[in-house]
Structures are given as C-alpha cells and as structure tokens.
Amino acid sequence: MMLVLGDAHADDPDNRRALFAAYRDADADVALQLGDLIYYDLPIPTYFIGGNNEDFDTIDALRYGRVESSDVTNAFLLASTAAEVEGLRIAGLSGNYAPTQYDRPRPNLHGERRRHFVRDDVEQAKQIEDVDVLLVHEAPHGLPVDEEYDVGCPHIDELLDAVEPRLCLVGHHHQHAESTFGDTRVVGLAPVWESYYTLDTETLEVTAHDTPSA
C-alpha cells in the first residue's frame, strides 16, 4: 500500500498540519504527491512532481541534483523521469502548461515562469518505458472537473498516448474526478486538507480517505 497525496499548499500552517495528519493516518512507507507541495521536509520518502505553486529554487535544485538543505528531506522530484517504487514504475511530468512558454528552452524560463513544462520536458517524458503510474499536474482531456475554462491539455494527451500508463494521477484542480483515456484510468485528486488516498500496488486501485483533524 502506498500513500497518494493531492495538492498540499503546505506553506500554509493549517495545510501543513493536514499534510502531516494524512501521513500519520495512512502509516505508509512511501508516498506519491501531485504538486503544489511547497514544503519539502517530509516524514517518509515522497516521490512528487512540481506544480504551479512551489519554491522554484528548491524545485530547480532537485531537478539538477544540487540539494544540500536541512529543509529538504525525503523529497524526490520526478521531472520527465521515472523511479521504481514498491515494485511499480512511477513517472512524472512536472509543471503546468502555458502556450507562450511551451517552445522555449527550459534555461530561458526565469522566476515564476519556471512553473511550466516545455516541449523538451514532454518529449523526454514520452521516452519513458513500462510506466505503471504517471503523475501530472495538468489534466488530459476528458477529466470531469468543474472549472471556468475547458480542462484538458493536448500535450498531456500526447504523453498518455506515448507511454500508455495503467494509471494517471492528476493534481491542480482540487477536486476528485475520474475518467479513462484510451486504456488508462485517470484519477484527479482532492487536496490534502480534504482527502488522502491509498494505492494498492497490486491492483492499482485508488481509495480516498478523509484527512483527519490535525
């Protein structure tokens, strides 16, 4: 069993308490997290993707292997990379989509613009093989979340077509939602202060649990 966490926004003290309440209640050995974490001193190994709200200096340090900080513990960034976690191959694409930034080289993104993924990130992620679970912060088309804009990024669609994961987990929208994309089950996660999830590593069944009071 693996702990799965949606958006945390754990720079806020109340949200941070909820995050740690979820860790305690699940009592898991390892976790996955879907971005907008913003707090990186964690109690168990946590494989996460960058969201559109992060400490982007820390994200860059994790991306390029330069982390030397007591404020970063058990935080492992998946940025167009994959890791073997409890017998599963977990891949992740960090960031969200901005049409004006997509064709720029990543080194040309500065400040808050570092929140976005670019074409090179997607192309690198497309090369990952044998993916069981894909973590993304931007949704593919077809996920029934309630927003004031049309949800669904064509580049996430392309990525799902390329890697064909068994399961795709989506952050960002702060709503639980489920759909399918081809043969992939897609689950959008509620935020940590509402729910946490457990993932059965054998069946890939995702189960929601109420986050207890901190």
Side-chain angles (χ1 to χ4, degrees):
M1 186 274 289
M2 199 181 299
L3 172 62
V4 181
L5 301 163
D7 290 25
H9 294 268
D11 53 336
D12 176 272
D14 289 339
N15 292 348
R16 191 180 311 165
R17 283 189 286 271
L19 174 66
F20 279 83
Y23 276 110
R24 286 192 302 271
D25 201 54
D27 194 27
D29 294 326
V30 66
L32 309 178
Q33 199 277 331
L34 273 296
D36 288 3
L37 181 54
I38 332 181
Y39 186 82
Y40 312 98
D41 186 4
L42 306 171
I44 61 173
T46 300
Y47 295 82
F48 80 106
I49 53 172
N52 57 302
N53 296 282
E54 302 287 357
D55 177 335
F56 292 106
D57 289 339
T58 298
I59 295 297
D60 272 0
L62 286 164
R63 185 187 295 272
Y64 299 115
R66 298 194 305 259
V67 172
E68 294 182 10
S69 170
S70 60
D71 294 330
V72 180
T73 307
N74 287 324
F76 301 97
L77 181 71
L78 296 176
S80 303
T81 54
E84 301 291 333
V85 185
E86 293 199 346
L88 295 176
R89 188 155 169 80
I90 312 294
L93 176 72
S94 284
N96 73 329
Y97 175 55
T100 58
Q101 306 301 308
Y102 186 66
D103 287 308
R104 300 185 69 192
R106 170 155 295 283
N108 290 7
L109 302 187
H110 300 289
E112 293 296 299
R113 285 301 190 183
R114 292 177 290 172
R115 74 181 65 210
H116 304 302
F117 60 75
V118 297
R119 183 179 299 277
D120 287 346
D121 298 328
V122 174
E123 292 304 318
Q124 180 180 330
K126 285 181 181 179
Q127 304 309 309
I128 303 172
E129 298 180 343
D130 302 320
V131 175
D132 294 303
V133 182
L134 175 67
L135 312 183
V136 293
H137 199 68
E138 190 84 51
H141 282 92
L143 190 66
V145 292
D146 182 22
E147 297 283 10
E148 295 179 353
Y149 58 91
D150 292 333
V151 172
C153 174
H155 304 297
I156 302 298
D157 297 350
E158 294 167 15
L159 179 57
L160 286 172
D161 282 334
V163 304
E164 297 183 323
R166 296 163 61 195
L167 175 67
C168 177
L169 299 174
V170 182
H172 188 52
H173 295 288
H174 296 192
Q175 302 170 45
H176 180 89
E178 300 188 25
S179 64
T180 56
F181 189 95
D183 293 330
T184 299
R185 183 181 177 211
V186 181
V187 181
L189 302 187
V192 168
W193 55 88
E194 293 179 3
S195 304
Y196 71 87
Y197 296 77
T198 50
L199 174 65
D200 185 312
T201 55
E202 297 293 329
T203 65
L204 296 191
E205 187 65 29
V206 179
T207 304
H209 309 266
D210 292 338
T211 299
S213 299

